Amino acid sequence: MEKLLLLGDEAIAQGAIDAGLSGIFGYPGTPSTEITEYVQGSKEAKEKGIRSAWASNEKTAMEAALGMSYAGKRVMFTCKHVGMNVAADAFMNSAITGVNGGAIFIAADDPSMHSSQNEQDSRFWGYWSMVPVLEPSNQQEAYDMVHYGFELSEKFRLPVILRVTTRLAHSRAGVNIRRNTKKQNEVSIPNDPKQFILLPVNARNNYRSLIAKQDDLLKASEEDGFNQYFDADNKTIGIIACGLSYNYLMENFSKTKCPYPILKVVEYPMPINMVNKLYEQCDSILVLEEGQPLYEGLLKGLLNKGKKIMGRLDGTISRDGELSPALVGKALGLEVKEGLPIPSLVSPRPPKLCDGCPHIDTYKALNDAVASYSKGRVFSDIGCYTLGALPPYNAISTTVDMGASITMAKGASEAGYTPTIAVIGDSTFTHSGMTGLLDCVVDNTPITIVILDNSITAMTGSQKSSATGRIESICEGIGVAKEHIRVITPLKKFHDENVKVFQEEISYQGVSVIIPRRECLVWANKKRKEAKNNQQ
Amino acid sequence: MKIDIILCGVGGMGALSTAAIISQAALDMGMYMKQAETHGMAQRGGDVQSHLRLSDSPIYSDLIPEGECDIILSVEPMEALRYLPFLNKEEGWVITNENPFINIPNYPEKDVVIAEIKKIKNSIVFDADKIARDLGNPKGTNMVVLGAASKYLKIDIEKLEAAIKDIFGKKGEDVVNSNINALRAGREVADRI
């Protein structure tokens, strides 16, 4: 046994490497990025020939993962919670096809929205699709549950969701590593030639078979040992502690024993018999969920006529945001310690574009170019450039989801609010912007699309962008007229000519693309450092 | 024994690399540890923090409970104040560099910030930048602050020095020595108080 100091994300990656992983597919997104990066940086993974390059988006990644599973290999998919929305078509149908080689889909949620636009709870996907969900409470469990997850996936021939949240993904602890690592599976296609052909006639059969597996999935969840029941004498409250919330609960009892019975849940389907035992024994139930009140709601039911169920829905715990030891302690009526208040002079220090960032020069030129029009014409997207929403730029009016800049600008343009401008990053463009651009070309929409090319996926910490070196040819191939694909260099010294390029293309009554191209400074520094280290 | 530490500063100031050194020293001592970090968007010039928890028994929460932090270790004075709800107000220490990092328009007056820190029962606020500069190691501010905090860390300074050797060893003896010197200079500040 060997003990390594690992982030939750890294424990997942090391677990996968040790459990016979053949490939990992994903698109960067906080807090999931470090899983794939760890595999990319692992010497061991390289020696074992584990494939690990980034995909263009979560949908292409999950489909490739499903293909690798079809070919009999163990495979992992990674994304942040909202990435599951992009992959949803592949995901919901993967529950119907099932898998061949073991497949674990990681969804990394971000309650409190540290680096996200919503706090959707990925456990819903498991409930909806009827596939198992694992929700480890700590780094060691994350490592162990990857081994278990692959076994579970191959036993039931279903994909398994492994859900983590920011605090586990980005927190380090000592993890005991097994070194008797499993060999990769041999290539083999499914025994049933119809398994992956979702014609209605097959899909109906597969769906019935998925429903038929539910009893055994429940049995696994009750009996495989990860979900645990801890009895105690005081039956006034029974506590259901899901995933990470178990830690916050136990933190309140680090010096004394918890007086109430606890059901620790880290595997779903929810172990109903264990829940029933708790319900029968106790006067009331407190449900602790790091995320949305999924099981609290199910336990209450629509009519809420049973015993008292406490949690996020009845106000015992805040309806939004992540949990903490103090929030859980207060929910139990414990006296929790307090520190000092934050002095009123402490000002927020929001994230901002780095000094010298190319986006700064782009926004300055764009702001000057649109100054003569009425407000609210610039539609933006997900990336560092979203920070253009903040002062002093105040340059954008929307940020919704990956790729929505182009398509929302299109819709607004077609509503008659012309001209409209879309601002999208290079990686986001190849993630979900290309099809929107095709819609614009097909409809000859009056629109100007600004593709900020800093040659890297910057916000998540410099991952390779699928767009690098391909943007002009993609735009031309989709049908944008060559003379309306303009490349500019976002530098202060070119400000006036850049403003002119923006003005010319904004006044053009058709689809135009402007590509401000200058390398991300953080990435450039990183490259320089790496080159220096390689020289030594 | 348990030690809960919040390390804080502004993205890019090296506040979080200090965590690696303390963690390494704690691991060498066979302690349990958890360290929660800030990644992603917040790093772009925003406030960053890390919860570092060390104990001789298993640790549950990755986050330090409010009111239980033993040391707030900061490379920027206003940032030290941001985490006061976590501080153990009777026994906890705030140890910080005194020079503001001003990248927002409404940064308060430095004197007011320092006065606020001095209201806390146990605090050390000092010019760690100057000490680092005088040692010819202007990037060593975080090591100086760590040195000052080492007095209250319950970890021997020799253990921290060994961890610095481990972590910076690849970068050569000069880097190791200049960081150790910065650490010792910080410790002297705390010892004089």
Side-chain angles (χ1 to χ4, degrees), chain A residues 393-406:
Chain A
Y393 317 106
N394 304 311
I396 63 172
S397 295
T398 69
T399 295
V400 181
D401 65 82
M402 295 286 282
S405 57
I406 296 178

Side-chain angles (χ1 to χ4, degrees), chain A residues 34 115 139 167 170-172 247-248 250-251 325 337 339-340 342-343 345-347 349 351-352 458-459, chain B residues 10 34-35 37 39 41 44 46-47 53 60-63 76 78-79 82 84-85 87 101 103 106 108:
Chain A
E34 291 81 0
S115 206
Q139 293 79 353
R167 288 304 166 195
H170 286 167
S171 174
R172 236 175 274 276
N247 301 345
Y248 298 143
M250 295 311 286
E251 186 68 35
K337 273 177 111 172
L340 298 164
I342 303 175
L345 62 87
V346 175
S347 308
R349 201 187 296 256
K352 53 185 255 180
M459 192 172 70
Chain B
V10 180
K34 282 200 168 188
Q35 186 216 335
E37 297 180 344
H39 287 220
M41 194 179 217
R44 306 265 175 271
D47 50 275
R53 313 196 69 194
Y60 284 106
S61 171
D62 297 86
L63 296 175
E76 207 282 344
M78 186 179 79
E79 292 309 318
R82 198 182 297 282
L84 287 186
L87 188 70
F101 182 88
N103 65 348
N106 52 342

Side-chain angles (χ1 to χ4, degrees), chain A residues 239 248-260 262 328 332 334, chain B residues 60:
Chain A
I239 305 168
Y248 298 143
L249 172 65
M250 295 311 286
E251 186 68 35
N252 281 285
F253 299 104
S254 53
K255 293 182 190 93
T256 53
K257 189 180 176 297
C258 176
Y260 310 110
I262 302 169
V328 173
L332 283 167
L334 300 174
Chain B
Y60 284 106

Side-chain angles (χ1 to χ4, degrees), chain B residues 97-99 126-136 138 141 144:
Chain B
N97 182 27
E98 69 174 26
N99 301 305
F126 69 114
D127 193 344
D129 289 328
K130 182 174 185 302
I131 294 173
R133 257 196 327 269
D134 289 349
L135 288 168
T141 302
V144 176

Side-chain angles (χ1 to χ4, degrees), chain A residues 421-447:
Chain A
I421 297 120
V423 177
I424 185 168
D426 54 339
S427 182
T428 307
F429 175 65
T430 44
H431 178 288
S432 285
M434 297 190 294
T435 44
L437 176 59
L438 180 60
D439 284 350
C440 295
V441 167
V442 169
D443 290 348
N444 193 31
T445 311
I447 186 172

Side-chain angles (χ1 to χ4, degrees), chain A residues 64-199:
Chain A
L66 197 61
M68 187 170 264
S69 163
Y70 171 89
K73 300 279 195 174
R74 286 190 168 183
V75 67
M76 186 171 265
F77 158 86
T78 70
C79 71
K80 70 180 294 169
H81 57 347
V82 286
M84 285 297 286
N85 305 338
V86 179
D89 200 5
F91 171 70
M92 291 303 287
N93 293 312
S94 76
I96 308 296
T97 61
V99 304
N100 187 26
I104 296 181
F105 299 158
I106 312 277
D109 294 2
D110 190 20
S112 278
M113 302 181 232
H114 298 281
S115 206
S116 302
Q117 68 271 45
N118 75 30
E119 52 176 46
Q120 65 185 63
D121 183 333
S122 295
R123 297 177 306 157
F124 278 83
W125 293 108
Y127 181 74
W128 192 15
S129 66
M130 303 168 77
V131 307
V133 176
L134 307 177
E135 191 193 10
S137 68
N138 59 45
Q139 293 79 353
Q140 184 68 54
E141 221 163 48
Y143 177 83
D144 294 335
M145 288 195 110
V146 170
H147 290 261
Y148 173 69
F150 279 124
E151 284 160 22
L152 196 68
S153 172
E154 288 179 355
K155 179 177 169 192
F156 288 96
R157 299 186 67 75
L158 286 175
V160 169
I161 293 177
L162 194 149
R163 183 236 190 187
V164 290
T165 54
T166 307
R167 288 304 166 195
L168 177 56
H170 286 167
S171 174
R172 236 175 274 276
V175 177
N176 290 317
I177 302 299
R178 312 173 196 176
R179 280 302 180 190
N180 50 344
T181 58
K182 194 188 167 302
K183 269 206 180 134
Q184 292 184 32
N185 292 350
E186 296 297 325
V187 168
S188 71
I189 63 162
N191 290 332
D192 174 6
K194 291 186 289 191
Q195 183 189 337
F196 282 83
I197 307 175
L198 292 187
L199 278 169

